[in-house]
Amino acid sequence: MMTPLTVGEAGHVRYTYRLRASSTARAALRAEWDRCRWLWNECVARSMKAYAEGETCGPARLDKMLTEARSTTPWLAEGSSVPQQQLIRDFGKSRAKAQRDIKERLPMHRRAGMPQCKKKHEALPTLNYTKRGFRLKGGRLHLSGGVVLTVVWSRDLPAAPSSVRVYQDGVGHWYCSFVVPTVVQPLPKTGRVLGVDWGVKQTATTTSDAHDLPHPEHGKKAHKKLARYDRMMARRKPKKGQAASKGYREAKKWRAKTYAKIARQRQDTGRKWAKRAVTDHDAIAVEDFRPKFLAKSSLARKAADAAIGATKRALIEMGRKHGRHIRLVHPAHTTMDCASCGARTKHALPLSERTYTCTACGAVSPRDKNSARVMLIRAGLNPAGVEGIRPPGALLPEAA
């Protein structure tokens, strides 16, 4: 199984694959993570000590500390130096970002916290390897230190990877995430454009009826199963200071697996819809909707189940992958403007009112369909005819 690719900076993208790890490989990865976790906690301790003494603890000092620790600690030297060096760099980046946020006086809720110690039973294993720390041979992933892992190749890598991240999720499954250069896979021109408006009753309403995305309700369908696991955990919850029973751990694992399945279903639905929308249209105007505020409303559960953020992200990534124009439109007043004449209502429409009626030109249309057409106008993709087909000879504007 492969999780969705994620587009990063500097023209790189991540391809994530499931790993099949033997008991020997899992033990080796755990041992490697124990060394890296100890090193991270040592960096935190030395950084705090240097701060208390008014000194600096830069990357050069941490690299020197790693060299000394590997020469004096045989247990640490048994592991590969590649993930340990990468961990030192990650610590330095995390600490520098936190210091930069403090210096810029960002609000507390926007600041990156200072690196904290990683506890044994709470921090999940994450190991980063550069190009000299891994190789692909015979379809298998060979890591420095003699660890060999079987990769479930759901599709081929488009280019040679420059680095890989091996990690374990909360369910206990192992994954590897390769970083490769971005390779654009252009699609044939269609001459069509699409406007997308996000919602709760229907996840995506577009200017084309054939490309509307209904609410999949994956979480609602699994609600009974999740409620059962919650009751099992509540009955078997250990008292403070006592170890959890086997039944409690199993119920917790089943619950985590169910949530992981729901997340995969949402991602799969969003990616399939995004691929269809990108394949059939040259340019897409997308509402730059941020559903975070819905978490405090009465629609919180239904909005979370719709996975608007994940679907929007999948559409943007799919557009970049295939060289389509994806334009983000500011969502302010999109439900108040008329797509026909551009007039704006005096008052915001309540959510219960699902039909938009323009008092200026008398146009009547479904509320979300009107908003989707407003997206096209604001993105500069009009004029467009029936089903978003542009007139002959009309050129698509360049991407913003």
Side-chain angles (χ1 to χ4, degrees):
M1 184 202 72
M2 193 205 74
T3 58
L5 58 87
T6 54
V7 178
E9 298 178 355
H12 287 81
V13 66
R14 281 191 177 272
Y15 279 77
T16 306
Y17 300 86
R18 179 78 178 272
L19 288 174
R20 303 297 184 192
S22 64
S23 58
T24 304
R26 290 197 300 268
L29 291 173
R30 283 283 183 181
E32 198 69 72
W33 169 243
D34 288 340
R35 298 184 187 96
C36 290
R37 187 176 55 82
W38 177 88
L39 188 61
W40 176 278
N41 294 342
E42 188 69 15
C43 291
V44 172
R46 297 208 177 194
S47 178
M48 294 176 64
K49 182 180 179 181
Y51 177 78
E53 295 175 354
E55 301 177 358
T56 58
C57 188
R61 186 171 179 179
L62 293 176
D63 287 338
K64 184 179 179 181
M65 181 267 290
L66 174 60
T67 304
E68 294 175 353
R70 286 181 63 86
S71 62
T72 58
T73 310
W75 168 75
L76 190 65
E78 289 176 2
S80 173
S81 62
V82 177
Q84 296 175 11
Q85 290 173 345
Q86 287 300 114
L87 182 133
I88 292 287
R89 295 187 180 96
D90 292 341
F91 177 85
K93 292 179 182 178
S94 178
R95 187 170 179 271
K97 187 177 188 321
Q99 291 176 336
R100 186 169 59 251
D101 290 349
I102 294 174
K103 187 176 180 180
E104 294 177 358
R105 297 183 178 181
L106 292 178
M108 291 299 296
H109 67 279
R110 293 181 56 191
R111 291 184 186 178
M114 294 296 289
Q116 301 295 323
C117 290
K118 295 182 182 295
K119 297 182 180 180
K120 181 176 181 180
H121 299 290
E122 295 180 4
L124 294 172
T126 302
L127 303 169
N128 293 314
Y129 293 84
T130 54
K131 197 170 185 177
R132 67 186 183 90
F134 76 97
R135 63 192 176 99
L136 295 172
K137 183 179 179 182
R140 306 181 79 184
L141 176 62
H142 295 252
L143 302 177
S144 57
V147 182
V148 182
L149 302 167
T150 301
V151 183
V152 182
W153 295 108
S154 55
R155 59 177 170 175
D156 296 333
L157 286 171
S162 58
S163 65
V164 65
R165 175 183 300 161
V166 178
Y167 65 94
Q168 186 183 31
D169 65 2
V171 182
H173 298 159
W174 287 90
Y175 295 87
C176 62
S177 179
F178 296 98
V179 176
V180 298
T182 303
V183 178
V184 178
Q185 302 172 9
L187 293 171
K189 296 292 183 180
T190 63
R192 294 173 179 267
V193 293
L194 186 72
V196 180
D197 176 74
W198 305 111
V200 176
K201 186 176 181 181
Q202 190 163 262
T203 303
T205 302
T206 68
T207 51
S208 171
D209 293 338
H211 293 83
D212 289 345
L213 178 62
H215 197 301
E217 297 185 346
H218 295 304
K220 184 178 180 181
K221 295 172 184 175
H223 177 68
K224 289 185 178 180
K225 188 180 293 186
L226 289 171
R228 176 170 171 254
Y229 295 150
D230 287 338
R231 290 194 298 270
M232 292 172 64
M233 290 178 60
R235 288 196 302 266
R236 303 168 186 180
K237 184 178 180 180
K239 295 182 180 179
K240 189 174 181 180
Q242 293 183 354
S245 64
K246 181 180 178 181
Y248 179 85
R249 294 196 303 269
E250 287 184 352
K252 185 177 180 180
K253 184 178 181 179
W254 294 335
R255 181 174 178 267
K257 282 188 174 182
T258 304
Y259 273 115
K261 180 180 178 181
I262 295 172
R264 291 195 301 268
Q265 288 175 327
R266 291 169 178 167
Q267 291 173 347
D268 182 67
T269 301
R271 281 179 58 80
K272 287 179 178 177
W273 172 81
K275 181 63 180 287
R276 188 159 51 90
V278 166
T279 302
D280 296 343
H281 301 89
D282 294 338
I284 302 177
V286 184
E287 180 186 8
D288 192 13
F289 181 68
R290 301 183 181 181
K292 186 177 179 180
F293 75 95
L294 289 174
K296 299 180 181 179
S297 69
S298 59
L299 300 173
R301 177 174 292 182
K302 191 169 185 178
D305 196 12
I308 298 174
T311 307
K312 172 187 166 186
R313 185 164 54 251
L315 180 61
I316 295 173
E317 291 172 358
M318 195 67 68
R320 290 177 180 174
K321 177 183 176 182
H322 294 291
R324 298 302 204 193
H325 298 304
I326 305 295
R327 301 198 173 187
L328 298 179
V329 179
H330 196 280
H333 308 297
T334 52
T335 59
M336 300 171 63
D337 291 354
C338 177
S340 299
C341 65
R344 180 173 297 175
T345 59
K346 295 182 179 180
H347 305 286
L349 301 179
L351 288 176
S352 58
E353 190 172 339
R354 306 312 304 171
T355 302
Y356 181 89
T357 304
C358 181
T359 56
C361 66
V364 179
S365 65
R367 171 180 175 150
D368 294 338
K369 288 290 182 181
N370 176 77
S371 298
R373 287 192 287 269
V374 171
M375 302 300 164
L376 285 178
I377 297 173
R378 290 193 179 184
L381 299 178
N382 259 19
V386 180
E387 294 296 324
I389 301 176
R390 295 183 61 78
L395 299 177
L396 286 173
E398 294 297 325

